[in-house]
Amino acid sequence: MMKNYIQYTKALALLFFFAFVSCDQDTSPTDAVEEKEVFKTVEGSEKVLNGSWGQLMETYYTYANPGFGSFLRTSDAMGNDAVLQTNKYGFGNHYQFSALYGKGGTNTHSWNLSYKTINNMNNILAYIDNSKGDAGEKRRIKGQAYALRGFMYLHLASSYAFAIDKDPNALAVPIYLKPTTVDTQPAKRSTVREVYNQALADLEEALVLIPEGYVRKQKFQIDYSVVLGLLSRANLYARNWEKARDYSDRLLAKNDYLMTETEYKSGFNDVANREWIWGHPQTPDQSNASYQFHYLDVTSKDSYYYSFNADPYFKDLFEDGDYRKSMINWAPDPSADIEKASVVWMRYGKFKFKAGQLADMVLMRTSEIYLINAEAKAQLNDGDAINKLNEVKRARHAALVSNLAGKDLLEAIWLERRKELFGEGFALVDIVRNQKAVVRKKYENNKVEYAYVVRDANGNEETKTKIMTANGHYALNFPDQSPFVANSPYYLYQIPNVEERENPNL
């Protein structure tokens, strides 16, 4: 509950500083000080800001839960298109819908990380106006604190409640706007609309405060474009179509770059990619978040688990010529002895480790903004919607669409989101916000001919084939054996037991 949480994070959670120097994040505490001392200078507030980001992205709960990325992995594991490998570690219970509903570790991890981050931002906002330092830096850091708090409330609004238009007055999660202490009374739950409105208000304030000309040193830092992207995303989820259109229009006017085929096939592991608007860098010394690629990377021998495979039917959604389709193929485990292997999974080679088991984490891409823009305009019957959808398809060498409107156009946009954003954390969020049901189908053709190359001692190559058992979806209903339906409580994060037990105001 919030009281336990407050005591655990006493005086700010105060403070696990993570110093970001160049790309380095010191993930061990460097100091624990009185909060008034920390916030006497602008530099101190920026340390809290950067430290909170490092804590959010790098903190383990279990090895299946490395930081905020674990919530993105959860969303995809519970969607239509990822098939979790049965004999590999990580997110299998999420795939089978027992983790969140059973109040497993991800619930606690999400709750603690979200409210720790919110509390740290509340402390920055409470003290920074009276701190010493450059007024422009003060304004920028204040804006970034609002943006990060808004980002966390967006996560809470879209994960702990059904779509806003199902019941905007349904209870969601508490809102805290001031620093908490051991004497703070735990808050009651706010409504879905109130939590979305808080996220939007924070992001709007951030857009006012962060200079449009601010040039960040690293891509994890929140700049003007990131805030425009978050406002586009948040307004889409809150079904504010005009604002989602307007903010995404503004962002695309600043940056409309879509990566090339070569860039797309390079592994989704590098923040230097021009299409990445926001990402979390990794270095040999600061690499906790890279652990997620042990799930996402299903084609490299460096990967331990390679568990996020694709539904065989997912490949059929891509037209011939779309280079994304060429990245999806049957294959055994990357570490398997091919002569002994008997099982294959549909491997999507989208995510690949860099050398040294490092991989930067993508948080926002221009393609998402195109698709937000397309969806908002489709909802507004704006003819430019199909153009924006086709821009993404054209960049991927996919067949363009024409003569679509209304629900058919929306369905095409939602399908493109599934294809383009696979593995980036949007699957279940999209299902919930659009009030859809998870759709999975058993793969009936469970035997496939697999071709592979063997080399003899002299380096001569020979192509062989063998019949292998092909795997598709195996979790085809909820744990109680009921069918997948829209607006199921199995889809939602649950408030942890300790919070329910000790917060009398819920």
Side-chain angles (χ1 to χ4, degrees), residues 279-347:
H280 181 61
Q282 297 282 267
T283 69
D285 293 332
Q286 319 294 338
S287 59
N288 283 359
S290 294
Y291 199 86
Q292 293 160 50
F293 267 63
H294 287 299
Y295 312 112
L296 294 171
D297 184 345
V298 296
T299 60
S300 301
K301 291 184 177 180
D302 282 346
S303 189
Y304 293 162
Y305 308 125
Y306 28 85
S307 51
F308 272 74
N309 300 293
D311 174 15
Y313 295 113
F314 179 63
K315 184 173 183 176
D316 296 337
L317 301 177
F318 297 82
E319 303 91 2
D320 291 342
D322 186 329
Y323 58 73
R324 295 170 297 186
K325 186 172 187 176
S326 69
M327 300 165 66
I328 310 172
N329 296 289
W330 291 113
D333 289 352
S335 61
D337 180 339
I338 188 60
E339 295 287 1
K340 297 179 181 178
S342 60
V343 174
V344 291
W345 299 80
M346 190 64 82
R347 313 287 187 178

Side-chain angles (χ1 to χ4, degrees), residues 76-145:
D76 284 317
M78 297 174 68
N80 298 331
D81 302 318
V83 178
L84 275 289
Q85 196 154 327
T86 51
N87 61 338
K88 299 296 178 182
Y89 178 75
F91 298 97
N93 289 338
H94 301 78
Y95 170 73
Q96 298 177 78
F97 295 92
S98 59
L100 297 186
Y101 193 73
K103 299 194 175 184
T106 307
N107 285 287
T108 302
H109 194 45
S110 169
W111 191 266
N112 287 345
L113 278 183
S114 297
Y115 282 107
K116 285 177 188 177
T117 305
I118 288 167
N119 194 49
N120 287 352
M121 297 309 100
N122 287 342
N123 274 275
I124 292 174
L125 295 171
Y127 290 101
I128 195 167
D129 285 342
N130 295 320
S131 64
K132 296 178 182 179
D134 179 78
E137 287 293 279
K138 187 183 299 187
R139 182 180 176 90
R140 185 261 302 172
I141 293 165
K142 187 175 181 179
Q144 290 173 323

